[in-house]
Amino acid sequence: MAIISSTESLYGYAGGRISAAALTFALLKGIPMGLGLGIFLMAVGAVLYFAVDTTISGVDIDVVGIILMVAGAMTLILGLIMNAQRSNTTVTQRRQDVRRPPFDE
C-alpha cells in the first residue's frame, strides 16, 4: 500500500479511495481536517438531537446525537490544541564546519 505525502492531494488518490492508514498518515503530516471534522460531527449530532423525531427500535436517536456532539467537541478541542502546538514549533538548524584546520608547520 502506498502512503501519500503531505504535498499530494487527497482528492483523487487511488481512484478516489483512501485507506484508513493513508488518511491517518495524512492527518498526522499536517493536512488540517480535525477542525472541520469536529464541526461536522457537532452539526450532525445537533440535527439528530434537536430536529429528528423518528424512532428506531433499539436505537435512541437523541443519545446518538449527544454522543456525536460530545465527540465533535472533543475533536474540535484536540484540533485546536494540535494547531496551537504546530504554530509554536521552532526549527533550529546547526551547521558544523567539518573541515580540518590548517596544519602549522
Side-chain angles (χ1 to χ4, degrees):
M1 176 183 75
I3 302 293
I4 62 172
S5 70
S6 61
T7 58
E8 293 175 339
S9 172
L10 287 177
Y11 182 75
Y13 174 73
R17 294 175 294 197
I18 302 172
S19 68
L23 183 59
T24 303
F25 180 77
L27 288 173
L28 293 176
K29 290 299 284 181
I31 298 174
M33 292 180 61
L35 301 179
L37 179 63
I39 293 170
F40 175 76
L41 288 175
M42 289 176 60
V44 170
V47 167
L48 289 177
Y49 183 72
F50 294 112
V52 176
D53 291 331
T54 305
T55 57
I56 300 174
S57 63
V59 177
D60 189 359
I61 299 293
D62 290 341
V63 173
V64 173
I66 291 172
I67 291 171
L68 287 176
M69 285 191 289
V70 169
M74 289 173 49
T75 304
L76 188 64
I77 291 169
L78 287 175
L80 289 171
I81 291 171
M82 289 176 60
N83 282 340
Q85 287 177 348
R86 186 177 305 139
S87 66
N88 289 335
T89 302
T90 58
V91 176
T92 304
Q93 292 183 353
R94 183 182 303 172
R95 295 179 185 221
Q96 184 176 4
D97 191 8
V98 293
R99 293 180 290 169
R100 294 182 183 175
F103 292 108
D104 292 331
E105 292 184 29

